[in-house]
Amino acid sequence: MFHRHDTRPSRPHGWRSSSAILLALLALILAACSGNTTSSGAAASGGGGEAGAGFEAPTEDVALILWNPFTGPDGPFFEEIVTEFNDATPTCQVEVATQPGAEYIGKLEAAATANELPHVIAAGYDALPGLVENGIVAPIDDFAAQGGYGPELFPEAIWNAGEWKGQRVGIPLDTHPMVFFYNKALFTEAGLDPEAPPADRESFEAAITAISENTDADGYQMVSSGPGANFLVGIQWASLFYQGGGEWTNADRTEVTINSEAGVQAAEYLASLVNDLDVPTVESDAEVLAFAGGQNGMVMSGIWETTRYNEALGEDLGVAPVPEIFGPGTWGGSHNLAVTSRGVEDDNTKACAYYFIDWFSQNSLQWGAAGQIPARNSVRESDEFKNASGEGLLPFIAKMAPLAEAVQFLPTIPGSGDILFVGSGAGEAATLVIGGSDAQEVLDAAAEANTEVLVQNKERYGF
Amino acid sequence: MSSLATAEPQRTKGPGLGSLLGRGRKPKKDVRRRIGEKAFTPYLFIAPHFILFSVFIVFPFFLGIWISLHDSTALRDGPFVGLRWYTQLFDPENRTQFPRFWNSVWNTMIFVLISVPLLVSAGLALASLLNQRLRGRNFFRGIYFVPWTLSVSVVSLVWWWMFNGNAGFITLLLQNLLGESPNWLASNPGAWITIIVATLWWTIGFNTIIFLAGMQGISLDLYEAASIDGANKWQQFRAITLPSLRPILLLVVTLQVIASFQLVGQPQLITGGGPPSELGGETTSVLLHIVNTGFFGRRELSLAAAMALIVAAIMVIVSIVNFRLFSSERS
């Protein structure tokens, strides 16, 4: 059900998988009740044919192994695209193996020691520097040069996230930002305009009050505990942090600066929703279930929750960009396709890997139907994407596509995701502030702890 | 010269260090062997276990020490960093590792102190009940043992469903009966109660079975004699059952202390180590902290190895104290 894998290295996998089973059951029940199934991949992507792509399929037969962490509903979409590719290119055949997200890096390391690395991997941008430093992922500057890949083909932030030490290490596939979901039926019941989702602080707070007072549901719910708290609070905090102009580190990457004014303001705002607007505190993922069950009017979740919400709420589901509480800015992750050291070992394999990545990038429209925003500009700007309709996720994703330009990322350095998600990170600090701790105090401590780690990593990896 | 003079009287007291090291008296050569038995035969008998023990215990132990002195990842040894990780863990000035590690050790201690007496006494009580002649005795013995065969993920999931704040069975039950329910997993003592109840339900069967086996080894004559002398059930329990069970009790307490120290799955799956605290979670056990440090997030393998060795040292001390306690009682 989830695929927060790449960005959420800290969450224990066991809890995740067990709860995923539960949620899968729940989703099954809900799907059975509503009686409609989403049509998967009705719109086949029409080949790329974009100028500047100078790749050719290898002349000899090559069999590639590709690993991805897509254990959620997006997995089958990925495989469908690969099947299409395999049918089109008999000399370059790709076999997909999906690995559980939480163990992804560990499995890659184990495969590296056993000399059994896959040739191509899909991974979160923040995992790439560590993988490069461990010799698992190979830099592919020649790919970018040969194919004319550069910031013109992608939103700049997304493109830049795939760069480490001045080298190109990943080709962006998608972005998965946090988005704002609301229940249109509850909006109507509360006397709000269901077609005008809140876009700023004032309207957001007004909507919370209106829904809480005029319906049986909560206007909003704030996570304050549970196994997923660091992550779920973390992405909300990060969005507000970006909105306030926050920077993760200083310019020369020697100090973590999450305790800046923007950081404190973000944490205090989340706490103020609880203290001033009587937003109830809940365990992690309870807010997600409550929203799907119609007992929570608004929720800010990763875009990957669209599937579940769509199945549960149908036409009542409204989506919009995250309200601009302090200004524009949204947390997001981004999957990249990368080539491993084994993938560049000989020219034929490399040719096949490059050809595949280029093909996949051009044909990533279908990946939008999996619930992620395609990274490539030409795909997002295509009429097929913009005018998407029907029951699948594509219409929702198309609606949220402008977020691809607004989404911001952590610095692409080893361990950057930990500044937000791991114990003693910003997500945990924000959770503590919601629980009543002093924002400046806990963020100071978190910044200090993360600076220790940053300095250590700087020494280790030399950046 | 003087050292020799002082060493001499010691030897007369018994087999001193000298004889243990092979000096002093010549070792006896007349080791008796059965016909056809070679000198290496005994070692062959030890070999299977010794090889497994070396591969899975001795080698990893020394490898752990090696890793803890380096800056290792899963793929490389990394540079030698001496006692850097130990310094971080023992330096009260350290804001990251020191407080979180010792917080997790403290959490584990709390769990050990609460769960061991509870699990041992409850196991003893259940065993006493199941040792009676009652109808369906075997059925109950089976019922109480069944949870022990489940995996920790199943157990945790079951109890997470019972206690979770959103739609937990117990939460909803209390809300319907009393109008409100504590948020079990989000605050203490609720979170610890949940974990302890889950652990009790899961592992009580093991202790019960061991105690039961011990009780069935006690001669019925003793009880008969006691009842003729007018001892009631409680007196019989105190004067016959408990003393006869002492070796079993030592075994169960030792195993239970070790098992409770190794708490990891329940907080990982039920509370995620929460409720959140500035020290990294109120139910984060030390093993969970090690797992999170070494294998998730920052993946600080060497730091985790250093933590593991410190925990190993703590457990050795606890086990020694445990044995001392019981052996002094015996004498």
Side-chain angles (χ1 to χ4, degrees), chain A residues 250-446:
Chain A
N250 60 355
D252 56 356
R253 308 253 189 260
T254 52
E255 207 184 326
V256 172
T257 52
I258 52 177
N259 56 342
S260 63
E261 207 176 300
V264 174
Q265 167 185 278
E268 282 177 347
Y269 184 73
L270 293 177
S272 79
L273 293 180
V274 175
N275 299 331
D276 304 338
L277 292 177
D278 291 328
V279 165
T281 55
V282 296
E283 273 162 50
S284 55
D285 287 316
E287 90 288 15
V288 170
L289 296 171
F291 182 76
Q295 292 114 36
N296 180 13
M298 302 184 283
V299 71
M300 292 192 215
S301 303
I303 197 169
W304 54 84
E305 301 287 7
T306 314
T307 315
R308 180 194 318 203
Y309 294 157
N310 186 32
E311 281 170 3
L313 297 176
E315 290 190 345
D316 288 336
L317 177 64
V319 292
V322 171
E324 296 184 1
I325 307 294
F326 302 119
T330 302
W331 172 89
S334 171
H335 291 116
N336 278 235
L337 288 173
V339 186
T340 66
S341 49
R342 192 171 164 216
V344 295
E345 256 173 13
D346 71 88
D347 288 345
N348 253 325
T349 318
K350 186 167 141 180
C352 177
Y354 281 17
Y355 185 75
F356 170 76
I357 292 178
D358 179 53
W359 192 94
F360 203 106
S361 174
Q362 293 190 39
N363 293 278
S364 52
L365 172 76
Q366 205 49 39
W367 188 236
Q372 327 235 359
I373 302 175
R376 201 176 173 114
N377 291 339
S378 60
V379 173
R380 285 199 324 283
E381 283 155 10
S382 70
D383 288 341
E384 217 180 334
F385 181 74
K386 279 195 201 160
N387 305 329
S389 60
E391 277 194 337
L393 292 185
L394 214 48
F396 288 107
I397 302 301
K399 211 174 204 175
M400 293 181 270
L403 282 173
E405 304 282 349
V407 73
Q408 282 167 271
F409 299 99
L410 289 146
T412 307
I413 51 174
S416 66
D418 305 344
I419 302 175
L420 181 54
F421 297 126
V422 154
S424 74
E428 185 191 85
T431 310
L432 290 169
V433 175
I434 292 167
S437 299
D438 180 70
Q440 188 71 56
E441 215 168 273
V442 291
L443 280 164
D444 280 350

Side-chain angles (χ1 to χ4, degrees), chain A residues 9 12-15 18 22 106 109 134 224-225 283 418 422 424 428 432 437 445 448-450 452 456 459-460, chain B residues 71 74-75 84-85 88 95-96 100 157 160-161 165 183 185-186 268-269 276-278 296-300:
Chain A
H13 60 101
W15 180 88
S18 52
L22 291 178
E109 287 173 351
N134 276 331
S224 68
S225 65
E283 273 162 50
D418 305 344
V422 154
S424 74
E428 185 191 85
L432 290 169
S437 299
E448 195 180 328
N450 280 286
E452 277 175 23
Q456 197 168 286
E459 183 192 324
R460 250 183 210 161
Chain B
D71 185 6
L75 290 180
R84 184 204 278 179
W85 310 120
Q88 289 188 1
R95 293 279 300 266
T96 326
R100 280 166 191 266
L157 208 55
W160 180 79
W161 267 117
N183 197 343
L185 304 182
Q268 182 176 33
L269 299 169
S277 83
E278 274 153 54
F296 295 100
R298 298 201 170 105
R299 309 172 63 77
E300 297 279 1

